[in-house]
Amino acid sequence: MDSIKPKIVFIDIDGTLVDDDGSIPLSAQQACKQARKNGHLLYLCTGRSKAEIYDSIWEIGFDGLIGAGGGYVEYGSDVLYHKKVTAEDVRHMVDFFNEHGIDFYLESNSALYASTHLQAHLERRIYGDVDNEPAAREKKETKPHPFIAGLTYGEADLYKEDVNKVCFLESPIVPFERIKQEFEGKFEVIQCTVPVFGEGSGELMIPGIHKAIAIADLLEHLGMSREDTIAIGDGMNDAEMLEFCAVGIAMGNAKPGLKEIADDITYSVEEDGLYHSFVKHGLIEAME
């Protein structure tokens, strides 16, 4: 592989590296490790904040992180930048969601802070009716989802100072468009890329932030060329990233809109899509 010019690869997490249960296919783990051995740089490029990058992900080995949908950039042990929501806007969000009974969590680099009823809502969506269904209870006990375990519950004061963005779950009462309207001009309100959160779920992002801007800033800082970039993702928050990078790859489980703009479409997470894309684009050789 020595003759191949090193690439810098930007990898989404949910629906790309990790499946719906929070597991990383062995093929993806091996592909990432081998690609780095072959001299390529691998960056996580995700809507998740740093507190959501669990040890099981870091242990695979990555050269850095673009987190919070582009609001936080880290290379090695250095931070390029970290853009935070203002105190006034955090207060507005928390008050609005609490007033309308919408379950949400604040993403910061130190922790993910859950609203009062979020845990019960998440458990219903991920496991089922844990109070009345034995199968749901068993799933909760035998296969606890890392996301639920990773949240911080019971914080009385949610007016936090180091908020990157906010995610909210689908509400049966308040439609997505109403939430979007409430924060018009203040936040970029986008549909959430985690299917289990519901069609009407979403994320509130600081305007002017997305993955491609962060990638461009990182490339400039590293002195690397856009020609050497590959991006792989599955959600519409990956659109700018796939369009910006020299090669944009959509997962087989990607949103139809992302597949339309991708240079290539690989298999789904369950079908070892990341591994197959790495082989096809010359980052690694096929494994026995």
Side-chain angles (χ1 to χ4, degrees):
M1 305 293 284
D2 294 343
S3 60
I4 292 181
K5 192 178 180 191
K7 302 290 185 186
I8 180 164
V9 188
F10 297 96
I11 304 166
D12 174 54
I13 294 181
D14 295 290
T16 302
L17 181 69
V18 167
D19 66 19
D20 286 349
D21 290 327
S23 303
I24 307 160
L26 184 59
S27 66
Q29 297 179 42
Q30 292 171 334
C32 288
K33 288 174 183 174
Q34 189 58 49
R36 287 185 84 218
K37 272 187 192 167
N38 291 344
H40 304 293
L41 296 174
L42 267 55
Y43 275 75
L44 294 164
C45 195
T46 177
R48 293 190 186 199
S49 290
K50 193 172 179 183
E52 281 179 273
I53 316 295
Y54 310 123
D55 289 345
S56 59
I57 296 174
W58 280 124
E59 282 160 9
I60 295 168
F62 292 95
D63 294 283
L65 165 69
I66 292 173
Y72 176 79
V73 182
E74 177 181 290
Y75 58 103
S77 57
D78 296 317
V79 176
L80 186 60
Y81 57 67
H82 184 189
K83 298 173 181 176
K84 302 174 195 175
V85 180
T86 66
E88 177 193 349
D89 288 341
V90 170
R91 188 172 285 273
H92 179 188
M93 288 188 296
V94 170
D95 290 350
F96 176 82
F97 288 139
N98 282 338
E99 185 187 329
H100 291 85
I102 298 167
D103 298 316
F104 68 97
Y105 60 95
L106 304 173
E107 294 190 21
S108 80
N109 278 14
S110 54
L112 304 179
Y113 297 103
S115 63
T116 308
H117 303 292
L118 181 74
Q119 185 172 5
H121 190 166
L122 279 173
E123 288 184 351
R124 282 197 307 277
R125 287 187 170 273
I126 291 173
Y127 306 128
D129 185 353
V130 291
D131 294 326
N132 300 302
E133 293 173 8
R137 248 193 326 276
E138 187 185 354
K139 189 176 180 185
K140 178 182 173 179
E141 286 162 12
T142 59
K143 203 172 182 186
H145 199 287
F147 177 72
I148 293 181
L151 287 159
T152 297
Y153 303 99
E155 285 281 317
D157 178 13
L158 289 176
Y159 298 142
K160 302 295 178 186
E161 293 179 354
D162 61 338
V163 175
N164 301 327
K165 64 189 183 85
V166 175
C167 285
F168 60 89
L169 269 57
E170 184 174 61
S171 163
I173 302 158
V174 187
F176 177 85
E177 286 305 320
R178 166 70 184 94
I179 297 168
K180 193 169 181 175
Q181 183 187 0
E182 174 69 23
F183 296 102
E184 194 76 47
K186 287 273 189 181
F187 289 97
E188 193 74 38
V189 184
I190 64 167
Q191 235 111 22
C192 191
T193 59
V194 182
V196 77
F197 286 3
E199 280 291 320
S201 64
E203 302 180 21
L204 273 65
M205 313 263 301
I206 299 170
I209 284 176
H210 58 66
K211 293 180 179 184
I213 292 170
I215 290 171
D217 291 342
L218 177 67
L219 291 175
E220 185 180 352
H221 186 78
L222 296 176
M224 291 190 72
S225 167
R226 185 173 167 179
E227 290 170 12
D228 302 320
T229 57
I230 296 175
I232 180 165
D234 73 304
M236 291 313 294
N237 69 338
D238 298 316
E240 293 91 352
M241 170 172 90
L242 262 64
E243 288 187 310
F244 176 83
C245 289
V247 178
I249 305 164
M251 297 293 289
N253 48 275
K255 298 281 186 193
L258 195 71
K259 289 180 177 178
E260 283 172 22
I261 63 166
D263 299 307
D264 189 20
I265 300 168
T266 186
Y267 299 97
S268 69
V269 182
E270 291 77 14
E271 298 165 322
D272 303 316
L274 186 139
Y275 162 77
H276 287 296
S277 69
F278 276 29
V279 172
K280 182 174 180 179
H281 292 278
L283 300 171
I284 61 172
E285 290 173 353
M287 297 175 191
E288 293 297 319

